[in-house]
Amino acid sequence: MKPVLLLAFLLATASTGHCLAQNTTDAEHARANEVGAVLKGLELGIGVVAMMVVASQRCGYGDASDWMRVVDAYDRRYSFCAARDPYWTSLVERSFAKQVQEARTRGSSTGMGSLAFDFMLPTATRQFETAYSSGGCSSFPRELLKGDLAGSSLARQLFDLGKDPAWIEAPCDKFFPVSKN
């Protein structure tokens, strides 16, 4: 694209985006904030779960299925909310398009937690190998696997979330429960 055309395109896009931003309603703004919080929560939460699963599998600490309950809780929560508001389905289809297609091909779950877990597991594996390669499994804080380490409130909350069926059918105005801290 020629520089003059590129500049014209960028200016047109910028001015259109500004007008659209001014025309958004409070409800649309709130929805965008909630979506951002959910995606950030998935990144943080499922990232921690993926690391715990890798540590469980690599080092034999604890049971990875205890952590997979958290992924299952995310999937069930997503299913519950998506049944009430198709927006959640479109969000997942947009955010995890490649993973949705791969999961369908494998016949696997297309729940939000499972898709995020499949997406983050390779990264968690590489991070685990990098962080604990020199000291091996003995350098990994085993307390994290049980969600017991002081200062690991996210790990503890996630571990507890996997055990809390009340969250699954809570009102969907907010995807994640209110923090207890």
Side-chain angles (χ1 to χ4, degrees):
M1 186 177 265
K2 292 184 179 179
V4 172
L5 291 175
L6 178 61
L7 181 60
F9 173 75
L10 292 173
L11 288 172
T13 304
S15 65
T16 303
H18 179 68
C19 291
L20 290 175
Q22 288 179 336
N23 292 329
T24 60
T25 65
D26 288 343
E28 290 167 331
H29 186 66
R31 171 58 61 99
N33 286 340
E34 177 63 11
V35 165
V38 168
L39 292 176
K40 187 65 176 172
L42 276 172
E43 180 184 344
L44 292 173
I46 297 297
V48 168
V49 170
M51 181 67 83
M52 298 301 111
V53 167
V54 170
S56 296
Q57 292 172 338
R58 293 281 173 97
C59 300
Y61 298 156
D63 188 350
S65 64
D66 288 339
W67 285 99
M68 291 305 294
R69 277 198 313 256
V70 178
V71 174
D72 181 57
Y74 273 81
D75 284 350
R76 290 182 299 144
R77 174 72 173 156
Y78 163 72
S79 179
F80 180 81
C81 290
R84 282 144 189 80
D85 184 353
Y87 183 80
W88 291 107
T89 303
S90 66
L91 171 67
V92 165
E93 295 281 337
R94 281 190 321 268
S95 301
F96 297 105
K98 180 182 175 188
Q99 290 77 19
V100 168
Q101 184 178 25
E102 290 171 356
R104 286 183 179 146
T105 301
R106 288 190 315 263
S108 300
S109 172
T110 57
M112 188 185 291
S114 292
L115 293 170
F117 181 80
D118 289 346
F119 179 75
M120 299 183 115
L121 186 60
T123 301
T125 302
R126 284 190 303 276
Q127 288 174 340
F128 183 88
E129 289 168 355
T130 300
Y132 303 106
S133 61
S134 63
C137 290
S138 63
S139 64
F140 185 82
R142 293 180 70 167
E143 299 84 4
L144 277 175
L145 291 166
K146 298 176 188 161
D148 291 339
L149 190 63
S152 67
S153 62
L154 177 60
R156 178 82 239 164
Q157 288 174 13
L158 290 168
F159 193 76
D160 291 345
L161 186 63
K163 297 177 182 179
D164 183 9
W167 171 60
I168 305 305
E169 296 182 5
C172 296
D173 56 330
K174 297 285 183 199
F175 189 84
F176 293 109
V178 176
S179 176
K180 295 174 185 169
N181 290 340

